[in-house]
Amino acid sequence: MTSMIDATPISLDGASTDPVIRQVVRSRLIAITDQMRLALQSVSGSPTVTEASDFFTGIYLPDGDFVTMGHQVTFEAPPVGALIRHLLSGGMKLKDGDRIIGNDPFVGALHQNDVQMCAPLIVDGELLGWAGVMAHETDLGGMDFASWSPKATEVWQEGLRIPAVKLVDGGELRGDVLDMILTASRLPAQVGLDIRAFIATLNVASDRLAELSHRYGKPTVLSVMHAMVDDAEVLARARLRELPDGVVHTRDFLEHDGHQNILYVIDCVLTKHGDALHFDFSGSSSQAQGFVNCSRAGLAGGVAGAVIPTLGFGIPWNEGMLRPVEISAPDGLVCTAIAPAPVGSATVEAVWTVSNVVSAALNRLLLATPRYAHRAQAVNSGTMATFNLSGRDRHDKVFGLHLMDPLAGGFGAFADHDGQNAAGPINAPCPSIADVEINEQKNPLFYHYRRLAPDTGGAGRRRGGLGAEIGLTVSVPKAEALVMTHGAEVPNSVGIGGGLPGGLIHQRFTRAGGVQTNLGPKPGSFPITPDDLFEVTWQGGGGLGDPLDRAPADVLADVRYGVVGAVAALEAYGVVLTEAGDEVDDEATAVARRGIRAARLGVDPAAIQDPGPVDDGPIEGGVRLADRLVATTGESGQWQVRTTDGAVLSMGSTRWREGAHRFEITLPPAAGDHLHADLAVTGWACPITGALLAVDIHPRDEEPFHDLDLDITSLAGAHR
């Protein structure tokens, strides 16, 4: 069945070739996208939109490829495109003034809370393209408030699903459809205002695109839209050709599906060849019985959420960046769940974890590319702990809150600087959270504190950024909290090149009387009163490089600023402070660091060689794979991977773990004190010096794998 759009295609004949006009149109399209954002935030009554920017706006080509997007949530551009393509392949008759609403994860949304709307942009009877908007709604029904239902076993229990319905028909609002949607929600006023904000957003896009077309001509505007996507594709493919070819294998985990504390694997095998990327998720776990799954739309969103910000520096963010990307995975996995699997928490579970593994894989390629090695980064804020609150406020009116504070996780360390504190995830390039005062004003909350959490940043030569933490209660006699996360037993913010992961999520609840409970990953719903205290610490960013290579002066500064505790300074970084704690004891630090390296190798400290300094400059005749790993030609002319201190680890391949020293590593308390029983942590060290080369988190009953299998020929060209 073919879609019936009451508009004719636009011919590109007569499009202006004037470069000035084309640049003006290009800039105007980007500005219109931002005007859509302003319209949405001006009309919406939801703090999720107005304060935390959990939304998307964009302009699309007639076929559903996105031309522009805002800098709010990079997950959400492909799902709106999927909604458009669903309409194009269906039988709905569309005309000027139509506004279509949907939220079905098995059509194109990420989960039911992410309501989408799109509009055909028809100018003078011709289809110019589409406008799209998407935002998280706090409640759309289901068995639990906020439509997050930890006990759900099928999608019908999770809230209203809207496949693709005309909400506005030819400019006329369909009140019956709106009433049907709002009746399903526990917060009809808030959702209703947001939906009207969606309509206003699409109206802004429609009006502005019509004005632009009337000024410069529809062929010119559409031609520029196509050129924007084509240009981004050219730039993206050129960038990919600069990266080495080969295979990168990464994994991440999420624990507990709401029913059982089962460990689920998101497995990513990235094959990079020439100017193309192929992501294979076939090794991931089968779909869960609980709500942690995502649909195939979520998988596409998770990949885009990492590819765009990681590789998109200096490149327009649009569909062109994704044209070199191919994704493969069979149906029925935790990241390609099929109906009626529950998917209510997809965005903060499977989708988020997909983004983690894609980010980890791409940054390994960047680290092995001399031109871009300084941009390589450990994983950011590897999870989002969800806190929802519902009940009746001081005026006895129903209230509901989806707290966005958990966006304040730590940024991963870069090769040339530490990660930023509370900077958020890779998938939200411009994250924001509400002021404490605004949250307390709009909801019956009372914060005991909101602050940075010491020791949550992954240790490394470059330290991961700190995650934040909060302690709060309610200011009404009683309310209902809904709490869930992954990453309470899995260190998702993994490091790179020997860096340690950021700290775990820690969720605690103290009842009146002082009895504290560790909530774990999926406690679900429970009552909360003003005498209770809910506390949560979020994951920091992963570290980069061996923590023992961090300058002692930097560790001292971290201790002075309260970023790192004195115990962690010694145990993670091997830095000994004077008794007053205001100076580094250089001699004792050297002894401590040698002792830690010797313990890694299981030898006497006198039996090891001290490592040389880290030099992140270019390698003559080779390529640096990490701080202390170099791929180069040996005396025989054969490529090898060796440490910077001379230990040859592999010949003819980058599978360097073959020659590294393997040992069981103990993570710092913040990152490993509640590690899932099915996980193990393995460290890899230089056999000469004990310098830490990598940290692998893997299932206890499985061997670690080689994460890097690069094409030697492409490396040979990369160093020139």
Side-chain angles (χ1 to χ4, degrees), residues 6 24 81 87-89 92 104 126 157 216 280 289 363 399 407 422 451 484 503 563 566 572 606 624 658 694 698:
D6 190 13
V24 167
L87 293 168
L88 291 172
S89 64
M92 184 184 297
D104 190 339
E126 295 181 306
Q157 298 169 321
Y216 295 105
D280 185 357
Q289 65 171 331
N363 277 290
F399 78 92
L407 284 175
R451 62 198 181 200
M484 61 188 205
V563 173
R624 189 182 301 277
E658 295 170 354
H698 58 95

Side-chain angles (χ1 to χ4, degrees), residues 111-359:
H111 64 157
Q112 293 91 319
N113 294 81
D114 283 334
V115 176
Q116 329 167 276
M117 285 190 70
C118 65
L121 301 174
I122 298 173
V123 180
D124 300 331
E126 295 181 306
L127 180 65
L128 182 64
W130 300 76
V133 60
M134 184 171 178
H136 181 97
E137 295 304 318
T138 301
D139 184 87
L140 283 167
M143 61 195 296
D144 288 300
F145 169 75
S147 309
W148 311 85
S149 303
K151 299 306 178 187
T153 57
E154 54 187 14
V155 71
W156 296 296
Q157 298 169 321
E158 297 185 305
L160 179 67
R161 286 162 64 202
I162 313 164
V165 178
K166 281 190 185 183
L167 181 61
V168 179
D169 188 354
E172 295 294 324
L173 177 68
R174 295 184 60 184
D176 53 347
V177 174
L178 181 60
D179 288 345
M180 179 193 70
I181 295 170
L182 299 186
T183 300
S185 175
R186 298 172 179 85
L187 301 171
Q190 185 180 106
V191 175
L193 190 56
D194 266 5
I195 288 176
R196 288 174 171 84
F198 292 169
I199 296 171
T201 301
L202 297 178
N203 289 346
V204 165
S206 179
D207 292 345
R208 299 296 185 271
L209 263 294
E211 293 171 4
L212 190 65
S213 298
H214 291 148
R215 181 166 184 175
Y216 295 105
K218 294 188 292 291
T220 296
V221 174
L222 184 57
S223 172
V224 170
M225 291 166 65
H226 278 286
M228 291 171 71
V229 177
D230 293 342
D231 290 350
E233 179 183 4
V234 169
L235 292 171
R237 291 190 184 278
R239 176 150 298 151
L240 290 176
R241 287 192 292 270
E242 296 180 277
L243 308 184
D245 288 344
V247 177
V248 184
H249 190 179
T250 55
R251 271 188 176 179
D252 198 8
F253 308 90
L254 57 90
E255 76 273 32
H256 211 299
D257 58 14
H259 301 274
Q260 302 179 66
N261 195 10
I262 298 172
L263 192 69
Y264 293 89
V265 178
I266 301 290
D267 186 273
C268 173
V269 178
L270 165 61
T271 301
K272 187 269 171 182
H273 182 71
D275 62 357
L277 297 172
H278 177 258
F279 294 96
D280 185 357
F281 292 88
S282 302
S284 302
S285 298
S286 298
Q287 67 187 47
Q289 65 171 331
F291 68 153
V292 299
N293 304 292
C294 71
S295 65
R296 193 170 290 275
L299 174 61
V303 172
V307 169
I308 291 172
T310 303
L311 297 181
F313 48 93
I315 300 176
W317 288 14
N318 61 46
E319 191 83 31
M321 281 211 63
L322 301 181
R323 285 181 177 174
V325 174
E326 181 183 2
I327 303 170
S328 64
D331 287 338
L333 302 179
V334 68
C335 54
T336 57
I338 55 176
V343 292
S345 67
T347 51
V348 295
E349 301 282 351
V351 177
W352 201 286
T353 313
V354 165
S355 192
N356 289 346
V357 294
V358 172
S359 173

Side-chain angles (χ1 to χ4, degrees), residues 324-685:
V325 174
E326 181 183 2
I327 303 170
S328 64
D331 287 338
L333 302 179
V334 68
C335 54
T336 57
I338 55 176
V343 292
S345 67
T347 51
V348 295
E349 301 282 351
V351 177
W352 201 286
T353 313
V354 165
S355 192
N356 289 346
V357 294
V358 172
S359 173
L362 293 175
N363 277 290
R364 280 165 171 76
L365 289 180
L366 289 177
L367 195 59
T369 308
R371 182 176 179 182
Y372 299 124
H374 67 287
R375 289 186 172 272
Q377 184 184 22
V379 172
N380 304 322
S381 188
T383 181
M384 180 175 176
T386 300
F387 177 84
N388 293 283
L389 194 68
S390 63
R392 291 189 173 272
D393 64 18
R394 59 186 63 89
H395 305 294
D396 201 36
K397 293 182 178 179
V398 173
F399 78 92
L401 165 72
H402 173 51
L403 191 70
M404 298 302 294
D405 291 22
L407 284 175
F411 228 44
F414 288 84
D416 63 355
H417 62 276
D418 293 344
Q420 292 88 348
N421 299 328
I426 191 70
N427 54 71
C430 296
S432 60
I433 59 177
D435 292 337
V436 164
E437 292 79 8
I438 288 191
N439 276 342
E440 291 180 333
Q441 179 186 37
K442 293 190 175 182
N443 300 280
L445 285 179
F446 177 79
Y447 282 82
H448 286 247
Y449 60 84
R450 188 170 78 183
R451 62 198 181 200
L452 294 176
D455 292 329
T456 51
R461 179 178 67 87
R462 302 297 187 191
R463 177 183 45 74
L466 298 186
E469 60 183 358
I470 58 171
L472 56 78
T473 188
V474 293
S475 55
V476 289
K478 63 178 180 178
E480 188 78 8
L482 175 63
V483 175
M484 61 188 205
T485 190
H486 70 269
E489 300 172 345
V490 177
N492 303 100
S493 299
V494 296
I496 187 171
L500 301 187
L504 295 172
I505 297 282
H506 289 82
Q507 300 186 131
R508 308 167 297 281
F509 190 64
T510 305
R511 289 283 186 197
V515 178
Q516 186 178 92
T517 303
N518 175 28
L519 294 178
K522 303 285 192 311
S525 297
F526 53 86
I528 182 171
T529 74
D531 295 324
D532 303 326
L533 176 65
F534 171 74
E535 298 172 279
V536 57
T537 301
W538 301 306
Q539 288 192 7
L544 184 144
D546 187 347
L548 301 187
D549 286 328
R550 187 165 178 82
D554 290 342
V555 177
L556 176 62
D558 287 343
V559 173
R560 285 174 171 171
Y561 284 114
V563 173
V564 172
V567 173
L570 176 60
E571 295 182 353
Y573 293 99
V575 172
V576 180
L577 304 180
T578 59
E579 189 173 342
D582 57 353
E583 297 289 343
V584 173
D585 185 329
D586 293 326
E587 185 176 340
T589 294
V591 171
R593 287 185 162 184
R594 175 179 273 253
I596 293 172
R597 290 195 298 270
R600 293 169 180 170
L601 299 181
V603 300
D604 187 274
I608 66 168
Q609 171 186 316
D610 287 332
V614 173
D615 178 7
D616 54 8
I619 301 295
E620 185 173 350
V623 173
R624 189 182 301 277
L625 303 179
D627 271 4
R628 293 191 175 276
L629 285 173
V630 174
T632 185
T633 53
E635 293 180 2
S636 65
Q638 184 180 13
W639 276 82
Q640 60 183 225
V641 176
R642 60 172 175 80
T643 68
T644 53
D645 295 299
V648 176
L649 305 182
S650 64
M651 298 290 293
S653 81
T654 59
R655 299 164 70 91
W656 58 266
R657 283 173 176 77
E658 295 170 354
H661 175 78
R662 174 179 175 173
F663 67 102
E664 184 176 338
I665 190 169
T666 301
L667 295 176
D673 55 355
H674 292 292
L675 199 67
H676 194 280
D678 293 340
L679 286 178
V681 185
T682 296
W684 301 89

Side-chain angles (χ1 to χ4, degrees), residues 688-704:
I688 296 175
T689 66
L692 189 59
L693 306 175
V695 176
D696 289 343
I697 299 162
H698 58 95
R700 189 169 295 279
D701 60 354
E702 295 183 19
E703 288 293 298

